[in-house]
Amino acid sequence: MSFYETALKSGNSIFAVAPMIDWTDRHCRFLHRQLSREALLYTEMVVADAIIHGPRERLLSFSPQEHPVALQLGGSDAGKLCEAIRIASDYGYDEINLNVGCPSDRVQSGTFGACLMRDPGHVADLVAAMKQVSSVPVTVKCRIGIDDQEPADVLPDFLARMIGAGADAIWIHARKAWLQGLSPKENREIPPLDYDLVHRMKRENPNVFLGVNGGISDLEQAKAHLSVMDGVMLGRAAYQNTGLLAGVDAMLKGSSPAGVATVDADWLALRDTMIAYAEHVIASGGRLHHVTRHMVGLFQGYAGARRFRQILSSEATKPGAGTEIISAAFAAVDLAGETERAAERIAG
Ligand SMILES: Cc1cc2nc3c(=O)[nH]c(=O)nc-3n(C[C@H](O)[C@H](O)[C@H](O)COP(=O)(O)O)c2cc1C
């Protein structure tokens, strides 16, 4: 039974950190994993052609601590997607996800990403072919429609076809993509969110795992969606306010996100783990900044957070920068003060 079936049968929700190009690389995922044992982590989108012809090891390798990790593929050719899955199978990903939501010009010229929403029959063929070669769940991340499509008309048909093709889960970014005239960034902000439609899709498909994505900015909102949906996927909020992830496991267990009472001990353990990890990355030819650039959003709202960010942004980027900069950055944050405030919040 796949972990999606288990989640669906047992009523356990899944919290995912969205695939984000240039952001959710292996170092980012390693950091996120330190904050949540349970979160499902997605790679950046990797184009099938790049896996077949490009630097595989660099594109696909990751640390065992990152599990569960889903590999997101971009492509529209069944043969290439299947070949990419065969190659990736050596790396032990927990899920293969097909990108049917990315609106960038580069992606459109390759006729994959969001423009595939126009051809659900073809996407269903891709999913069916991918299922044939994958030993792990095959899932889809889509929009509610594109351009002049009417989401209430096209989304039910799109989902029915994905389900018919055997998709193990579908993650729905609850807004359209407008392929003409908007940048990818604008396409994450301007088309309006339609959570009602996505929630309705869940009610109409009780036996299929459906997750919602788009515009969810904190764990309270995530929790509210989970009263209807099987899963919730956060992108920008999880990356830019990374500390939010420290409350995810408690939220999923049903205890309150006030589990942050133990932040003091956790943050210091996190510091030490990230120092050890960064040392390993540097010893393997990487740079401190490759790790620390994902850490700047850790302490939003804490006294000392600005200094933490400054140290990481200015010092960690210098040639030859070492891991003592991570210690210096953590030392700038008032962790004890935050622990007291967390304790007060719980008591009060
Ligand atoms: C920097 C960045 C890169 C992204 N790259 C991808 C990607 O590779 N694949 C994908 O499906 N979506 C990508 N997205 C979209 C996110 O996965 C997500 O659908 C979107 O940000 C909406 O969720 P949010 O409001 O929680 O951020 C990206 C978003 C951002 C901000």
Side-chain angles (χ1 to χ4, degrees), residues 18-23 43-46 72 97 99-102 141 143 173 175 188 213-216 233-237:
M20 289 179 280
I21 286 181
D22 196 41
W23 287 7
T43 65
E44 308 165 85
M45 177 182 73
V46 189
Q72 188 188 56
N97 175 268
N99 182 327
V100 189
C102 183
K141 178 167 177 277
R143 298 273 183 147
H173 183 174
R175 54 162 62 91
R188 295 192 284 269
N213 165 245
I216 303 166
M233 174 185 271
L234 272 67
R236 289 162 292 185

PDB file of all heavy atoms in Angstrom, residues 18-23 43-46 72 97 99-102 141 143 173 175 188 213-216 233-237, ligand 1:
ATOM      1  N   ALA A  18       6.280  22.606  -1.209  1.00  0.00           N
ATOM      2  CA  ALA A  18       6.110  22.586  -2.662  1.00  0.00           C
ATOM      3  C   ALA A  18       7.451  22.518  -3.408  1.00  0.00           C
ATOM      4  O   ALA A  18       8.477  22.977  -2.895  1.00  0.00           O
ATOM      5  CB  ALA A  18       5.364  23.856  -3.085  1.00  0.00           C
ATOM      6  N   PRO A  19       7.416  21.975  -4.633  1.00  0.00           N
ATOM      7  CA  PRO A  19       8.608  22.042  -5.485  1.00  0.00           C
ATOM      8  C   PRO A  19       8.862  23.489  -5.885  1.00  0.00           C
ATOM      9  O   PRO A  19       7.936  24.176  -6.315  1.00  0.00           O
ATOM     10  CB  PRO A  19       8.210  21.209  -6.719  1.00  0.00           C
ATOM     11  CG  PRO A  19       6.718  21.189  -6.729  1.00  0.00           C
ATOM     12  CD  PRO A  19       6.278  21.331  -5.298  1.00  0.00           C
ATOM     13  N   MET A  20      10.097  23.971  -5.729  1.00  0.00           N
ATOM     14  CA  MET A  20      10.399  25.355  -6.116  1.00  0.00           C
ATOM     15  C   MET A  20      11.801  25.426  -6.720  1.00  0.00           C
ATOM     16  O   MET A  20      12.803  25.169  -6.030  1.00  0.00           O
ATOM     17  CB  MET A  20      10.273  26.277  -4.894  1.00  0.00           C
ATOM     18  CG  MET A  20       8.824  26.459  -4.448  1.00  0.00           C
ATOM     19  SD  MET A  20       8.628  27.522  -3.003  1.00  0.00           S
ATOM     20  CE  MET A  20       9.048  26.400  -1.687  1.00  0.00           C
ATOM     21  N   ILE A  21      11.836  25.789  -7.996  1.00  0.00           N
ATOM     22  CA  ILE A  21      13.107  25.864  -8.709  1.00  0.00           C
ATOM     23  C   ILE A  21      14.017  26.875  -8.024  1.00  0.00           C
ATOM     24  O   ILE A  21      13.568  27.962  -7.636  1.00  0.00           O
ATOM     25  CB  ILE A  21      12.879  26.261 -10.191  1.00  0.00           C
ATOM     26  CG1 ILE A  21      12.310  25.064 -10.943  1.00  0.00           C
ATOM     27  CG2 ILE A  21      14.177  26.739 -10.849  1.00  0.00           C
ATOM     28  CD1 ILE A  21      12.061  25.266 -12.393  1.00  0.00           C
ATOM     29  N   ASP A  22      15.263  26.507  -7.886  1.00  0.00           N
ATOM     30  CA  ASP A  22      16.304  27.323  -7.258  1.00  0.00           C
ATOM     31  C   ASP A  22      16.185  27.397  -5.729  1.00  0.00           C
ATOM     32  O   ASP A  22      17.071  27.879  -5.062  1.00  0.00           O
ATOM     33  CB  ASP A  22      16.333  28.741  -7.862  1.00  0.00           C
ATOM     34  CG  ASP A  22      17.626  29.454  -7.502  1.00  0.00           C
ATOM     35  OD1 ASP A  22      18.678  28.789  -7.546  1.00  0.00           O
ATOM     36  OD2 ASP A  22      17.589  30.643  -7.138  1.00  0.00           O
ATOM     37  N   TRP A  23      15.083  26.942  -5.190  1.00  0.00           N
ATOM     38  CA  TRP A  23      14.893  27.004  -3.734  1.00  0.00           C
ATOM     39  C   TRP A  23      14.983  25.622  -3.088  1.00  0.00           C
ATOM     40  O   TRP A  23      15.768  25.419  -2.161  1.00  0.00           O
ATOM     41  CB  TRP A  23      13.539  27.652  -3.387  1.00  0.00           C
ATOM     42  CG  TRP A  23      13.506  29.139  -3.623  1.00  0.00           C
ATOM     43  CD1 TRP A  23      14.478  29.902  -4.223  1.00  0.00           C
ATOM     44  CD2 TRP A  23      12.460  30.044  -3.273  1.00  0.00           C
ATOM     45  NE1 TRP A  23      14.081  31.221  -4.268  1.00  0.00           N
ATOM     46  CE2 TRP A  23      12.850  31.338  -3.693  1.00  0.00           C
ATOM     47  CE3 TRP A  23      11.216  29.896  -2.646  1.00  0.00           C
ATOM     48  CZ2 TRP A  23      12.048  32.468  -3.494  1.00  0.00           C
ATOM     49  CZ3 TRP A  23      10.423  31.012  -2.448  1.00  0.00           C
ATOM     50  CH2 TRP A  23      10.830  32.288  -2.868  1.00  0.00           C
ATOM     51  N   THR A  43      11.476  17.996  -4.686  1.00  0.00           N
ATOM     52  CA  THR A  43      12.651  18.563  -5.358  1.00  0.00           C
ATOM     53  C   THR A  43      12.208  19.778  -6.167  1.00  0.00           C
ATOM     54  O   THR A  43      11.016  20.047  -6.318  1.00  0.00           O
ATOM     55  CB  THR A  43      13.260  17.561  -6.362  1.00  0.00           C
ATOM     56  OG1 THR A  43      12.305  17.334  -7.424  1.00  0.00           O
ATOM     57  CG2 THR A  43      13.629  16.248  -5.694  1.00  0.00           C
ATOM     58  N   GLU A  44      13.152  20.482  -6.724  1.00  0.00           N
ATOM     59  CA  GLU A  44      12.854  21.438  -7.785  1.00  0.00           C
ATOM     60  C   GLU A  44      12.368  20.609  -8.978  1.00  0.00           C
ATOM     61  O   GLU A  44      12.658  19.417  -9.071  1.00  0.00           O
ATOM     62  CB  GLU A  44      14.124  22.167  -8.216  1.00  0.00           C
ATOM     63  CG  GLU A  44      14.904  22.786  -7.073  1.00  0.00           C
ATOM     64  CD  GLU A  44      16.316  23.176  -7.493  1.00  0.00           C
ATOM     65  OE1 GLU A  44      16.476  24.274  -8.030  1.00  0.00           O
ATOM     66  OE2 GLU A  44      17.265  22.386  -7.291  1.00  0.00           O
ATOM     67  N   MET A  45      11.667  21.237  -9.923  1.00  0.00           N
ATOM     68  CA  MET A  45      11.334  20.496 -11.139  1.00  0.00           C
ATOM     69  C   MET A  45      12.626  20.149 -11.888  1.00  0.00           C
ATOM     70  O   MET A  45      13.493  21.007 -12.078  1.00  0.00           O
ATOM     71  CB  MET A  45      10.456  21.340 -12.059  1.00  0.00           C
ATOM     72  CG  MET A  45      10.151  20.610 -13.362  1.00  0.00           C
ATOM     73  SD  MET A  45       9.156  21.577 -14.500  1.00  0.00           S
ATOM     74  CE  MET A  45      10.336  22.782 -15.067  1.00  0.00           C
ATOM     75  N   VAL A  46      12.734  18.896 -12.294  1.00  0.00           N
ATOM     76  CA  VAL A  46      13.879  18.486 -13.110  1.00  0.00           C
ATOM     77  C   VAL A  46      13.321  17.996 -14.440  1.00  0.00           C
ATOM     78  O   VAL A  46      12.414  17.156 -14.479  1.00  0.00           O
ATOM     79  CB  VAL A  46      14.683  17.338 -12.435  1.00  0.00           C
ATOM     80  CG1 VAL A  46      15.975  17.097 -13.195  1.00  0.00           C
ATOM     81  CG2 VAL A  46      14.976  17.652 -10.973  1.00  0.00           C
ATOM     82  N   GLN A  72      10.083  15.857  -8.670  1.00  0.00           N
ATOM     83  CA  GLN A  72       9.159  16.417  -9.652  1.00  0.00           C
ATOM     84  C   GLN A  72       9.804  16.449 -11.028  1.00  0.00           C
ATOM     85  O   GLN A  72      10.903  16.991 -11.200  1.00  0.00           O
ATOM     86  CB  GLN A  72       8.700  17.826  -9.293  1.00  0.00           C
ATOM     87  CG  GLN A  72       7.584  18.243 -10.263  1.00  0.00           C
ATOM     88  CD  GLN A  72       7.141  19.668 -10.164  1.00  0.00           C
ATOM     89  OE1 GLN A  72       7.953  20.588 -10.283  1.00  0.00           O
ATOM     90  NE2 GLN A  72       5.853  19.880  -9.952  1.00  0.00           N
ATOM     91  N   ASN A  97       6.502  12.950  -9.308  1.00  0.00           N
ATOM     92  CA  ASN A  97       5.412  13.899  -9.533  1.00  0.00           C
ATOM     93  C   ASN A  97       5.590  14.545 -10.908  1.00  0.00           C
ATOM     94  O   ASN A  97       6.703  14.877 -11.304  1.00  0.00           O
ATOM     95  CB  ASN A  97       5.445  14.975  -8.431  1.00  0.00           C
ATOM     96  CG  ASN A  97       4.427  16.080  -8.652  1.00  0.00           C
ATOM     97  OD1 ASN A  97       4.714  17.111  -9.258  1.00  0.00           O
ATOM     98  ND2 ASN A  97       3.224  15.867  -8.173  1.00  0.00           N
ATOM     99  N   ASN A  99       4.868  17.706 -13.353  1.00  0.00           N
ATOM    100  CA  ASN A  99       4.539  19.132 -13.304  1.00  0.00           C
ATOM    101  C   ASN A  99       3.538  19.484 -14.407  1.00  0.00           C
ATOM    102  O   ASN A  99       3.847  19.412 -15.590  1.00  0.00           O
ATOM    103  CB  ASN A  99       5.830  19.952 -13.484  1.00  0.00           C
ATOM    104  CG  ASN A  99       5.590  21.452 -13.393  1.00  0.00           C
ATOM    105  OD1 ASN A  99       4.534  21.955 -13.780  1.00  0.00           O
ATOM    106  ND2 ASN A  99       6.570  22.174 -12.887  1.00  0.00           N
ATOM    107  N   VAL A 100       2.332  19.870 -13.979  1.00  0.00           N
ATOM    108  CA  VAL A 100       1.322  20.339 -14.940  1.00  0.00           C
ATOM    109  C   VAL A 100       0.859  21.727 -14.473  1.00  0.00           C
ATOM    110  O   VAL A 100      -0.307  22.084 -14.576  1.00  0.00           O
ATOM    111  CB  VAL A 100       0.139  19.341 -15.032  1.00  0.00           C
ATOM    112  CG1 VAL A 100      -0.799  19.705 -16.179  1.00  0.00           C
ATOM    113  CG2 VAL A 100       0.640  17.914 -15.252  1.00  0.00           C
ATOM    114  N   GLY A 101       1.812  22.500 -13.926  1.00  0.00           N
ATOM    115  CA  GLY A 101       1.402  23.792 -13.378  1.00  0.00           C
ATOM    116  C   GLY A 101       2.330  24.940 -13.671  1.00  0.00           C
ATOM    117  O   GLY A 101       1.965  26.094 -13.484  1.00  0.00           O
ATOM    118  N   CYS A 102       3.532  24.641 -14.176  1.00  0.00           N
ATOM    119  CA  CYS A 102       4.512  25.713 -14.339  1.00  0.00           C
ATOM    120  C   CYS A 102       4.230  26.505 -15.605  1.00  0.00           C
ATOM    121  O   CYS A 102       4.076  25.931 -16.677  1.00  0.00           O
ATOM    122  CB  CYS A 102       5.921  25.114 -14.389  1.00  0.00           C
ATOM    123  SG  CYS A 102       7.170  26.389 -14.504  1.00  0.00           S
ATOM    124  N   LYS A 141       0.893  17.507 -10.151  1.00  0.00           N
ATOM    125  CA  LYS A 141       0.643  18.827  -9.557  1.00  0.00           C
ATOM    126  C   LYS A 141       0.109  19.714 -10.673  1.00  0.00           C
ATOM    127  O   LYS A 141       0.782  19.892 -11.692  1.00  0.00           O
ATOM    128  CB  LYS A 141       1.918  19.405  -8.961  1.00  0.00           C
ATOM    129  CG  LYS A 141       1.739  20.808  -8.372  1.00  0.00           C
ATOM    130  CD  LYS A 141       2.951  21.192  -7.530  1.00  0.00           C
ATOM    131  CE  LYS A 141       2.851  22.600  -6.979  1.00  0.00           C
ATOM    132  NZ  LYS A 141       3.285  23.624  -7.942  1.00  0.00           N
ATOM    133  N   ARG A 143      -2.848  23.025 -12.022  1.00  0.00           N
ATOM    134  CA  ARG A 143      -3.613  24.239 -11.733  1.00  0.00           C
ATOM    135  C   ARG A 143      -5.103  23.891 -11.822  1.00  0.00           C
ATOM    136  O   ARG A 143      -5.460  22.767 -12.172  1.00  0.00           O
ATOM    137  CB  ARG A 143      -3.270  25.316 -12.771  1.00  0.00           C
ATOM    138  CG  ARG A 143      -1.809  25.757 -12.773  1.00  0.00           C
ATOM    139  CD  ARG A 143      -1.603  26.850 -11.773  1.00  0.00           C
ATOM    140  NE  ARG A 143      -0.229  27.343 -11.794  1.00  0.00           N
ATOM    141  CZ  ARG A 143       0.113  28.613 -11.541  1.00  0.00           C
ATOM    142  NH1 ARG A 143      -0.816  29.516 -11.271  1.00  0.00           N
ATOM    143  NH2 ARG A 143       1.373  28.984 -11.525  1.00  0.00           N
ATOM    144  N   HIS A 173      -2.884  23.431  -7.334  1.00  0.00           N
ATOM    145  CA  HIS A 173      -2.629  24.848  -7.061  1.00  0.00           C
ATOM    146  C   HIS A 173      -3.928  25.566  -7.433  1.00  0.00           C
ATOM    147  O   HIS A 173      -4.319  25.570  -8.600  1.00  0.00           O
ATOM    148  CB  HIS A 173      -1.444  25.326  -7.908  1.00  0.00           C
ATOM    149  CG  HIS A 173      -1.057  26.746  -7.663  1.00  0.00           C
ATOM    150  ND1 HIS A 173       0.055  27.322  -8.226  1.00  0.00           N
ATOM    151  CD2 HIS A 173      -1.619  27.727  -6.903  1.00  0.00           C
ATOM    152  CE1 HIS A 173       0.163  28.581  -7.830  1.00  0.00           C
ATOM    153  NE2 HIS A 173      -0.837  28.853  -7.038  1.00  0.00           N
ATOM    154  N   ARG A 175      -5.353  28.117  -8.350  1.00  0.00           N
ATOM    155  CA  ARG A 175      -5.572  29.256  -9.237  1.00  0.00           C
ATOM    156  C   ARG A 175      -5.203  28.870 -10.653  1.00  0.00           C
ATOM    157  O   ARG A 175      -4.456  27.925 -10.881  1.00  0.00           O
ATOM    158  CB  ARG A 175      -4.789  30.491  -8.784  1.00  0.00           C
ATOM    159  CG  ARG A 175      -3.297  30.285  -8.601  1.00  0.00           C
ATOM    160  CD  ARG A 175      -2.533  31.620  -8.594  1.00  0.00           C
ATOM    161  NE  ARG A 175      -2.873  32.521  -7.533  1.00  0.00           N
ATOM    162  CZ  ARG A 175      -2.286  32.583  -6.337  1.00  0.00           C
ATOM    163  NH1 ARG A 175      -1.295  31.739  -6.057  1.00  0.00           N
ATOM    164  NH2 ARG A 175      -2.637  33.459  -5.439  1.00  0.00           N
ATOM    165  N   ARG A 188       1.728  33.443  -9.803  1.00  0.00           N
ATOM    166  CA  ARG A 188       1.540  32.902  -8.457  1.00  0.00           C
ATOM    167  C   ARG A 188       0.774  33.877  -7.585  1.00  0.00           C
ATOM    168  O   ARG A 188       0.514  33.594  -6.430  1.00  0.00           O
ATOM    169  CB  ARG A 188       2.902  32.609  -7.805  1.00  0.00           C
ATOM    170  CG  ARG A 188       3.689  31.517  -8.492  1.00  0.00           C
ATOM    171  CD  ARG A 188       4.877  31.057  -7.680  1.00  0.00           C
ATOM    172  NE  ARG A 188       6.008  31.966  -7.692  1.00  0.00           N
ATOM    173  CZ  ARG A 188       7.013  31.906  -8.565  1.00  0.00           C
ATOM    174  NH1 ARG A 188       7.020  30.989  -9.508  1.00  0.00           N
ATOM    175  NH2 ARG A 188       8.013  32.755  -8.500  1.00  0.00           N
ATOM    176  N   ASN A 213      -2.893  23.545  -2.759  1.00  0.00           N
ATOM    177  CA  ASN A 213      -1.707  24.410  -2.717  1.00  0.00           C
ATOM    178  C   ASN A 213      -2.119  25.808  -3.188  1.00  0.00           C
ATOM    179  O   ASN A 213      -3.066  25.961  -3.937  1.00  0.00           O
ATOM    180  CB  ASN A 213      -0.630  23.832  -3.651  1.00  0.00           C
ATOM    181  CG  ASN A 213       0.479  24.823  -3.966  1.00  0.00           C
ATOM    182  OD1 ASN A 213       0.655  25.245  -5.113  1.00  0.00           O
ATOM    183  ND2 ASN A 213       1.229  25.223  -2.962  1.00  0.00           N
ATOM    184  N   GLY A 214      -1.353  26.810  -2.721  1.00  0.00           N
ATOM    185  CA  GLY A 214      -1.525  28.160  -3.224  1.00  0.00           C
ATOM    186  C   GLY A 214      -2.007  29.125  -2.152  1.00  0.00           C
ATOM    187  O   GLY A 214      -3.108  28.970  -1.627  1.00  0.00           O
ATOM    188  N   GLY A 215      -1.146  30.094  -1.814  1.00  0.00           N
ATOM    189  CA  GLY A 215      -1.570  31.190  -0.949  1.00  0.00           C
ATOM    190  C   GLY A 215      -1.780  30.843   0.514  1.00  0.00           C
ATOM    191  O   GLY A 215      -2.330  31.647   1.265  1.00  0.00           O
ATOM    192  N   ILE A 216      -1.356  29.692   0.949  1.00  0.00           N
ATOM    193  CA  ILE A 216      -1.546  29.299   2.355  1.00  0.00           C
ATOM    194  C   ILE A 216      -0.351  29.830   3.138  1.00  0.00           C
ATOM    195  O   ILE A 216       0.794  29.468   2.845  1.00  0.00           O
ATOM    196  CB  ILE A 216      -1.677  27.770   2.495  1.00  0.00           C
ATOM    197  CG1 ILE A 216      -2.839  27.288   1.610  1.00  0.00           C
ATOM    198  CG2 ILE A 216      -1.887  27.362   3.954  1.00  0.00           C
ATOM    199  CD1 ILE A 216      -2.873  25.799   1.379  1.00  0.00           C
ATOM    200  N   MET A 233      -0.144  21.801   0.792  1.00  0.00           N
ATOM    201  CA  MET A 233       1.218  22.032   0.286  1.00  0.00           C
ATOM    202  C   MET A 233       1.533  23.517   0.368  1.00  0.00           C
ATOM    203  O   MET A 233       0.792  24.333  -0.178  1.00  0.00           O
ATOM    204  CB  MET A 233       1.297  21.550  -1.163  1.00  0.00           C
ATOM    205  CG  MET A 233       2.609  21.854  -1.864  1.00  0.00           C
ATOM    206  SD  MET A 233       2.556  21.389  -3.610  1.00  0.00           S
ATOM    207  CE  MET A 233       3.107  19.694  -3.569  1.00  0.00           C
ATOM    208  N   LEU A 234       2.609  23.844   1.067  1.00  0.00           N
ATOM    209  CA  LEU A 234       3.009  25.243   1.187  1.00  0.00           C
ATOM    210  C   LEU A 234       4.314  25.473   0.440  1.00  0.00           C
ATOM    211  O   LEU A 234       5.243  24.661   0.527  1.00  0.00           O
ATOM    212  CB  LEU A 234       3.209  25.634   2.658  1.00  0.00           C
ATOM    213  CG  LEU A 234       1.968  26.129   3.409  1.00  0.00           C
ATOM    214  CD1 LEU A 234       0.953  25.002   3.584  1.00  0.00           C
ATOM    215  CD2 LEU A 234       2.343  26.702   4.763  1.00  0.00           C
ATOM    216  N   GLY A 235       4.374  26.576  -0.287  1.00  0.00           N
ATOM    217  CA  GLY A 235       5.578  26.919  -1.023  1.00  0.00           C
ATOM    218  C   GLY A 235       6.312  28.077  -0.369  1.00  0.00           C
ATOM    219  O   GLY A 235       7.156  27.897   0.519  1.00  0.00           O
ATOM    220  N   ARG A 236       5.923  29.292  -0.758  1.00  0.00           N
ATOM    221  CA  ARG A 236       6.660  30.473  -0.303  1.00  0.00           C
ATOM    222  C   ARG A 236       6.660  30.640   1.211  1.00  0.00           C
ATOM    223  O   ARG A 236       7.681  30.990   1.805  1.00  0.00           O
ATOM    224  CB  ARG A 236       6.088  31.721  -0.994  1.00  0.00           C
ATOM    225  CG  ARG A 236       6.444  31.761  -2.460  1.00  0.00           C
ATOM    226  CD  ARG A 236       5.565  32.705  -3.227  1.00  0.00           C
ATOM    227  NE  ARG A 236       4.177  32.231  -3.308  1.00  0.00           N
ATOM    228  CZ  ARG A 236       3.226  32.825  -4.005  1.00  0.00           C
ATOM    229  NH1 ARG A 236       3.504  33.931  -4.662  1.00  0.00           N
ATOM    230  NH2 ARG A 236       2.008  32.328  -4.040  1.00  0.00           N
ATOM    231  N   ALA A 237       5.539  30.387   1.863  1.00  0.00           N
ATOM    232  CA  ALA A 237       5.488  30.585   3.325  1.00  0.00           C
ATOM    233  C   ALA A 237       6.472  29.655   4.018  1.00  0.00           C
ATOM    234  O   ALA A 237       7.151  30.053   4.974  1.00  0.00           O
ATOM    235  CB  ALA A 237       4.074  30.356   3.840  1.00  0.00           C
TER     236      ALA A 237
HETATM  237  C1  LIG B   1      10.844  30.302  -6.565  1.00  0.00           C
HETATM  238  C2  LIG B   1       9.708  29.397  -6.974  1.00  0.00           C
HETATM  239  C3  LIG B   1       9.965  28.325  -7.808  1.00  0.00           C
HETATM  240  C4  LIG B   1       8.937  27.447  -8.181  1.00  0.00           C
HETATM  241  N1  LIG B   1       9.235  26.341  -8.913  1.00  0.00           N
HETATM  242  C5  LIG B   1       8.271  25.397  -9.133  1.00  0.00           C
HETATM  243  C6  LIG B   1       8.591  24.132  -9.700  1.00  0.00           C
HETATM  244  O1  LIG B   1       9.746  23.811  -9.988  1.00  0.00           O
HETATM  245  N2  LIG B   1       7.563  23.252  -9.913  1.00  0.00           N
HETATM  246  C7  LIG B   1       6.269  23.539  -9.561  1.00  0.00           C
HETATM  247  O2  LIG B   1       5.377  22.710  -9.745  1.00  0.00           O
HETATM  248  N3  LIG B   1       5.942  24.727  -8.999  1.00  0.00           N
HETATM  249  C8  LIG B   1       6.914  25.634  -8.756  1.00  0.00           C
HETATM  250  N4  LIG B   1       6.606  26.786  -8.090  1.00  0.00           N
HETATM  251  C9  LIG B   1       5.224  26.985  -7.621  1.00  0.00           C
HETATM  252  C10 LIG B   1       5.044  26.421  -6.207  1.00  0.00           C
HETATM  253  O3  LIG B   1       5.269  25.032  -6.175  1.00  0.00           O
HETATM  254  C11 LIG B   1       3.620  26.705  -5.695  1.00  0.00           C
HETATM  255  O4  LIG B   1       2.696  26.046  -6.520  1.00  0.00           O
HETATM  256  C12 LIG B   1       3.299  28.192  -5.695  1.00  0.00           C
HETATM  257  O5  LIG B   1       4.348  28.963  -5.141  1.00  0.00           O
HETATM  258  C13 LIG B   1       2.014  28.470  -4.904  1.00  0.00           C
HETATM  259  O6  LIG B   1       2.132  28.022  -3.571  1.00  0.00           O
HETATM  260  P1  LIG B   1       2.458  29.063  -2.350  1.00  0.00           P
HETATM  261  O7  LIG B   1       1.447  30.152  -2.466  1.00  0.00           O
HETATM  262  O8  LIG B   1       2.322  28.241  -1.119  1.00  0.00           O
HETATM  263  O9  LIG B   1       3.836  29.577  -2.598  1.00  0.00           O
HETATM  264  C14 LIG B   1       7.615  27.678  -7.726  1.00  0.00           C
HETATM  265  C15 LIG B   1       7.369  28.763  -6.876  1.00  0.00           C
HETATM  266  C16 LIG B   1       8.398  29.601  -6.494  1.00  0.00           C
HETATM  267  C17 LIG B   1       8.101  30.755  -5.549  1.00  0.00           C
END
